[in-house]
Amino acid sequence: MSEEKIEKTSKIDLDRTEMPKQPPEIRRHNFNEVALGYTEELAIKEAKRCLQCKKPRCKTGCPVEIDIPDFIACIVKGDFSAGIKKIKEKNCLPAVCGRVCPQETQCESKCILASKKGEIAIGRLERFLADWEAAQGKIDLPKKAKPTGKKVAVVGSGPAGITVAGDLILLGHEVTIFEALHRPGGVLTYGIPEFRLPKAIVAREVEYIKMLGVNVITDFVVGKTRSVDELLEEFDAVFIGTGAGLPWFMNIPGENLNGVYSANEYLTRMNLMQGYRFPASSTPVKKHTRVAVVGGGNVAMDAARTALRMGASEVRIIYRRSHAELPARLEESENAEEEGVIFNMLTLPIRYIGDENGWIKEIECIKMELGEPDASGRRRPIEIPNSNFIIPTDAVVCAIGNSPNPLVPSTTPGLDTTRHGTLVADPETGKTTRDRVWAGGDIVTGAATVILAMGAGRKAARSIHEYLMGK
Amino acid sequence: MNKILELRMIVPNMHLIKIEAPDISKKVKPGQFVIVRPDEEGERIPLSVADWDQESGTITIIFMEVGASTSRLASLKPNDYVATCVGPLGNATEIKYYGTVMCVAGCYGIGSIYPVAKALKGEGNKIITVFEARSSYLIYWLDRFVGLSEKIFTITRDGSSGYKGHVKRLPDIIHGLSQLPDIIIVNGCTYLMAQTSNITKDLNIPTIVNLNPIMIDGTGMCGVCRVTVAGKMKFACVDGPEFNGHEVDWKEFLARRKAYMEEETLFFRRSEPESKLHKEGKCQV
Ligand SMILES: Cc1cc2nc3c(=O)[nH]c(=O)nc-3n(C[C@H](O)[C@H](O)[C@H](O)COP(=O)(O)OP(=O)(O)OC[C@H]3O[C@@H](n4cnc5c(N)ncnc54)[C@H](O)[C@@H]3O)c2cc1C
Ligand code: SF4
């Protein structure tokens, strides 16, 4: 369908159906989910806007190629059960993806109505169906293939690991997940906050694969408790989905002052250790009045909005480029802004200054301007000489990125890594340089997205299955 | 979930816990630690492993009751389960022939240095043990060290055993030896490790400390355990926990160690300087 045709069709509705949200003044004080989801009426209203294109572009923007117009058509008919089945053919974590996928750069950006700023709210519809199914209370367990007698070990229980495990168990293999932390879910559990992705949803997904028969062993650090080589003695294949959990720091003076956190520490204290319930939970958290978050991605937004909810009265994002380059999802930076987060753009911290007790007191920053585009295609930030200034603060959260944890690669001979520390793996199959070892998700791509991790898990599962059956 | 087989106070405020952990017992090496979470609401506590037995699949830990989480752990009973026991984490002590090794230990460090001393003895090293405590009744496992050690010295604050005073008496012991130790290994509270490192730096004796910072995951993910060593940022959980004591930024380490003192249920007022608290046996870091 061409653009001119859209102009001429009078009935086209370009009005995206808003999803109800908690008002900013209220939600900045609680950890409940911000977005409340569509009602049935709203979902049908939004679904009806879809043009049911013959050659749907939206689908090409989806990393796992969900049959988007098909599931939308089911919503129009009110057949939600068929709709969710359609999604689950391609995506085993719809309640998660409907909430955290960057649809605005994926399916929705490709929607033919996007050029008129009226793209279908595909993510909200996906979320609606997943939540509708959960509310029904009963889950149809799909049929499993006959047991093959093959055993697969999955290292890490993030979206990549969950997907591999879910796919392989249905194909009849015996699957065991080994997770280092005490709660499964990876970043979905320890990183993304409750108000954006309720932990009950993650727990439900994990429960689901357990019901299918996946054995989930927590508190088990592969590379320490047992090595990959030892796992290979017991299992026919090993999948590594250990994510990108090693926090970067900036290498500037004062980073070890008290009150300077990595985003991982800050979010882990709050999410995994339930610090927001302190002192009911026993992992201590500090009450800070002024919090500065360094970085501009989803992680930075999550940390900033968590700080607000912990009672900070002044929370700022410090980012070295401009608003336009913020890597966070638009929805998240808008949410943060609505909630009152201050944005200090084109600003770079160069030194943290402490008090006599070793606590952070202020940040020395320098102003930046944008120069020529760099290798990433974004305009390179350049320091403006003599523009230094001070921002007083009680805490800093450093959210400038993560790299893969070297624990597994460094304890597994023959497992090649790139110079970024990621594992070398075939993008189509997930095969690593070690026989019988596959990998996928952030450990291969570097910090990326939930859906890419899932997609990689899916491909690896297919390749592992072929290997196991061909044997 | 790991079953507790034994849990008792061995000297005031110091507890021995034996936990069923077959995988860990097969892998653990001297100098390594585990992370224990007493119950579902509990904090993750890093604790050094003091002993283990592969055959029965158990590990033994000595821990001091210092705040909310360790007192929750101490309040459990044999046959209860701890919610988490994960490891072994960190790097192991380099076990090889050094010559004469002096093991300096205080409070929980007496327990954690025991497997180190035992393994080093096994490599043919001559072991000299120094215990540092407030009073003689706070020293435990003496019997275990008797067979291992060429000589055992004690320093007690009240003079009830050995030298009277605290770690600053260490030079008296060292100078009384016929020959300087080739290496000193210190396990215990931060004050003991920092002071020993200061003393041995002047004497030019290589010194290894086993750092005990605050940790959450213990696998390099959170970065809360970062320390400055030789001017570089290190994560104690994956780069350590052992470091060259002469290279550790002790002032920073102590400040970070105390970051959550206010939030922890405090048993003692902590307004006094570290040296005074240490002399009174209240240092806890
Ligand atoms: C705060 C935050 C917000 C984010 N927001 C979004 C968003 O809005 N949308 C989006 O699409 N993406 C988002 N991401 C990115 C997304 O979460 C990741 O890309 C995705 O989770 C990667 O999945 P994974 O399965 O590769 O690894 P992870 O989710 O990182 O899971 C890896 C798991 O492996 C475990 N593990 C590591 N080492 C070992 C070992 N040696 N032995 C056993 N287990 C081990 C870890 O404990 C962890 O549980 C966000 C990330 C963060 C940190
Ligand atoms: S969502 Fe957009 S691109 Fe996809 S079928 Fe509907 S109108 Fe076409």
Side-chain angles (χ1 to χ4, degrees):
Chain A
M1 189 174 295
S2 71
E3 300 224 350
E4 298 90 290
K5 224 166 173 185
I6 299 183
E7 303 275 13
K8 285 182 207 135
T9 322
S10 56
K11 276 211 308 247
I12 288 181
D13 176 0
L14 287 173
D15 207 6
R16 268 163 77 93
T17 310
E18 282 306 318
M19 174 165 58
K21 283 203 258 186
Q22 282 195 69
E25 342 49 276
I26 296 187
R27 69 182 194 238
R28 62 172 284 177
H29 299 296
N30 69 51
F31 276 88
N32 300 335
E33 197 174 5
V34 167
L36 303 171
Y38 280 155
T39 57
E40 290 186 11
E41 292 69 40
L42 291 175
I44 292 171
K45 176 164 175 265
E46 179 64 12
K48 281 185 171 156
R49 294 204 304 118
C50 174
L51 306 181
Q52 292 295 322
C53 307
K54 285 270 162 335
K55 280 204 186 117
R57 298 187 188 177
C58 50
K59 197 174 157 179
T60 64
C62 174
V64 295
E65 297 178 6
I66 295 177
D67 292 315
I68 294 168
D70 288 14
F71 89 70
I72 294 181
C74 295
I75 298 179
V76 174
K77 281 185 267 166
D79 190 353
F80 305 137
S81 169
I84 187 67
K85 280 214 181 79
K86 196 87 224 154
I87 295 181
K88 282 194 160 174
E89 284 171 13
K90 296 284 168 63
N91 182 334
C92 56
L93 301 171
V96 174
C97 291
R99 285 171 168 81
V100 305
C101 273
Q103 290 99 6
E104 67 279 9
T105 59
Q106 298 179 167
C107 52
E108 291 181 12
S109 74
K110 294 277 163 55
C111 171
I112 191 143
L113 301 177
S115 60
K116 296 273 168 288
K117 300 219 177 335
E119 63 276 18
I120 303 296
I122 301 169
R124 294 171 187 175
L125 291 173
E126 176 179 22
R127 168 193 165 136
F128 164 77
L129 284 177
D131 290 356
W132 174 86
E133 185 193 38
Q136 304 311 300
K138 63 169 179 18
I139 300 169
D140 289 335
L141 286 189
K143 256 185 109 125
K144 285 203 283 187
K146 274 207 320 284
T148 59
K150 304 286 182 200
K151 294 172 75 176
V152 183
V154 174
V155 186
S157 62
I162 290 178
T163 306
V164 171
D167 284 5
L168 290 177
I169 196 92
L170 287 179
L171 293 165
H173 309 298
E174 214 178 287
V175 185
T176 306
I177 296 185
F178 295 96
E179 167 57 49
L181 294 171
H182 58 266
R183 209 161 284 147
V187 168
L188 310 181
T189 295
Y190 77 74
I192 305 181
E194 177 76 17
F195 56 82
R196 199 146 75 78
L197 179 63
K199 297 309 140 214
I201 291 176
V202 183
R204 197 167 76 207
E205 300 302 347
V206 173
E207 225 19 70
Y208 175 74
I209 58 161
K210 279 191 187 168
M211 279 187 326
L212 291 176
V214 174
N215 183 15
V216 181
I217 298 180
T218 50
D219 297 322
F220 194 108
V221 184
V222 173
K224 288 284 181 185
T225 317
R226 230 182 275 170
S227 65
V228 168
D229 285 276
E230 286 166 303
L231 291 178
L232 284 169
E233 291 168 15
E234 190 186 331
F235 295 89
D236 298 291
V238 173
F239 174 82
I240 300 171
T242 48
L246 208 69
W248 288 341
F249 287 91
M250 292 170 68
N251 262 321
I252 59 175
E255 273 185 314
N256 286 1
L257 287 167
N258 279 330
V260 180
Y261 306 88
S262 74
N264 279 358
E265 178 192 349
Y266 191 72
L267 292 169
T268 300
R269 273 183 194 279
M270 301 303 171
N271 299 322
L272 180 73
M273 305 313 293
Q274 308 249 302
Y276 64 92
R277 290 171 46 236
F278 182 73
S281 61
S282 59
T283 298
V285 296
K286 289 276 170 194
K287 291 262 180 234
H288 298 296
T289 309
R290 294 167 303 186
V291 179
V293 179
V294 182
N298 287 323
V299 183
M301 299 304 147
D302 284 347
R305 297 171 69 201
T306 299
L308 278 179
R309 284 158 175 78
M310 288 303 292
S313 52
E314 189 186 296
V315 177
R316 62 182 72 244
I317 292 272
I318 299 179
Y319 181 56
R320 63 194 178 126
R321 300 182 206 243
S322 76
H323 238 102
E325 287 83 16
L326 278 174
R329 296 187 55 196
L330 186 62
E331 186 182 330
E332 302 310 331
S333 59
E334 280 175 1
N335 276 334
E337 224 157 354
E338 279 173 24
E339 288 166 14
V341 172
I342 304 161
F343 283 71
N344 289 128
M345 298 293 100
L346 291 166
T347 303
L348 180 74
I350 54 171
R351 180 163 71 108
Y352 298 123
I353 302 161
D355 66 13
E356 60 283 2
N357 297 318
W359 281 88
I360 175 103
K361 180 174 75 170
E362 25 191 54
I363 312 172
E364 182 178 340
C365 297
I366 191 161
K367 288 260 174 225
M368 312 291 277
E369 62 190 347
L370 292 179
E372 295 301 309
D374 63 12
S376 73
R378 294 179 300 178
R379 291 176 64 193
R380 186 196 302 278
I382 304 167
E383 294 179 12
I384 303 176
N386 302 320
S387 64
N388 303 35
F389 66 106
I390 296 284
I391 297 178
T393 196
D394 309 314
V396 168
V397 180
C398 186
I400 58 165
N402 288 314
S403 49
N405 194 323
L407 226 167
V408 169
S410 68
T411 54
T412 314
L415 205 54
D416 289 356
T417 53
T418 67
R419 62 188 174 89
H420 304 292
T422 51
L423 284 183
V424 175
D426 181 323
E428 285 316 307
T429 61
K431 269 199 184 114
T432 67
T433 52
R434 261 302 288 273
D435 203 26
R436 295 197 286 139
V437 179
W438 283 256
D442 284 4
I443 180 77
V444 173
T445 54
T449 60
V450 172
I451 191 69
L452 288 175
M454 254 199 61
R458 177 129 292 177
K459 284 181 184 161
R462 204 176 293 147
S463 167
I464 293 172
H465 178 64
E466 279 167 14
Y467 163 76
L468 292 175
M469 300 319 282
K471 211 165 89 166
Chain B
M1 299 282 275
N2 300 66
K3 191 168 176 179
I4 301 173
L5 300 173
E6 205 177 323
L7 177 54
R8 58 191 165 86
M9 198 188 272
I10 51 168
V11 292
N13 224 20
M14 200 73 67
H15 305 261
L16 176 151
I17 185 169
K18 189 188 246 189
I19 304 176
E20 207 169 69
D23 280 324
I24 301 175
S25 75
K26 284 195 200 88
K27 271 298 174 71
V28 63
K29 300 232 164 57
Q32 288 189 300
F33 64 96
V34 291
I35 284 194
V36 174
R37 205 166 49 107
D39 51 60
E40 278 308 322
E41 287 289 354
E43 204 182 342
R44 295 170 66 96
I45 323 169
L47 297 168
S48 304
V49 184
D51 202 4
W52 55 90
D53 179 33
Q54 287 194 16
E55 235 157 77
S56 60
T58 59
I59 61 169
T60 300
I61 295 162
I62 305 287
F63 69 95
M64 180 152 85
E65 205 175 321
V66 290
S69 294
T70 41
S71 67
R72 281 168 97 130
L73 184 59
S75 69
L76 297 174
K77 309 231 155 10
N79 294 324
D80 286 349
Y81 286 78
V82 290
T84 289
C85 177
V86 58
L89 302 171
N91 300 312
T93 310
E94 199 183 338
I95 302 297
K96 62 172 192 193
Y97 180 75
Y98 296 93
T100 303
V101 181
M102 179 181 267
C103 293
V104 179
C107 52
Y108 75 86
I110 297 178
S112 64
I113 214 165
Y114 167 69
V116 177
K118 193 164 85 172
L120 287 171
K121 168 84 181 167
E123 288 296 309
N125 291 286
K126 197 166 122 186
I127 309 288
I128 294 174
T129 303
V130 179
F131 294 126
E132 201 252 20
R134 191 153 46 87
S135 186
S136 61
Y137 70 88
L138 292 171
I139 296 171
Y140 52 95
W141 280 12
L142 195 61
D143 53 327
R144 294 193 178 214
F145 285 88
V146 170
L148 289 177
S149 319
E150 203 83 2
K151 287 203 178 78
I152 297 183
F153 297 94
T154 52
I155 310 174
T156 52
R157 243 81 85 213
D158 60 2
S160 53
S161 153
Y163 289 74
K164 184 173 158 71
H166 66 111
V167 49
K168 291 198 171 147
R169 299 293 309 266
L170 196 61
D172 299 341
I173 296 177
I174 294 174
H175 291 308
L177 299 170
S178 53
Q179 180 191 353
L180 289 186
D182 295 295
I183 189 168
I184 296 188
I185 299 179
V186 206
N187 280 15
C189 69
T190 305
Y191 187 78
L192 178 71
M193 293 192 286
Q195 283 301 325
T196 305
S197 301
N198 271 339
I199 292 166
T200 59
K201 194 168 188 172
D202 295 338
L203 297 174
N204 229 333
I205 308 172
T207 298
I208 305 282
V209 295
N210 191 302
L211 295 186
N212 53 355
I214 299 171
M215 292 184 188
I216 300 178
D217 65 300
T219 63
M221 187 262 275
C222 71
V224 59
C225 67
R226 55 196 195 275
V227 292
T228 303
V229 181
K232 290 220 169 67
M233 184 191 286
K234 298 280 174 190
F235 286 10
C237 66
V238 287
D239 301 320
E242 291 196 335
F243 292 103
N244 177 345
H246 299 160
E247 293 179 346
V248 173
D249 180 338
W250 290 105
K251 186 164 170 254
E252 175 191 279
F253 184 76
L254 199 58
R256 292 187 65 76
R257 193 70 187 78
K258 293 199 287 188
Y260 288 91
M261 278 294 168
E262 272 168 55
E263 284 74 13
E264 283 282 338
T265 314
L266 268 196
F267 295 165
F268 304 109
R269 294 218 139 268
R270 304 198 41 91
S271 50
E272 292 111 304
E274 218 52 44
S275 55
K276 180 153 185 290
L277 289 165
H278 184 78
K279 281 179 205 148
E280 293 168 8
K282 296 176 184 171
C283 42
Q284 303 194 6
V285 288

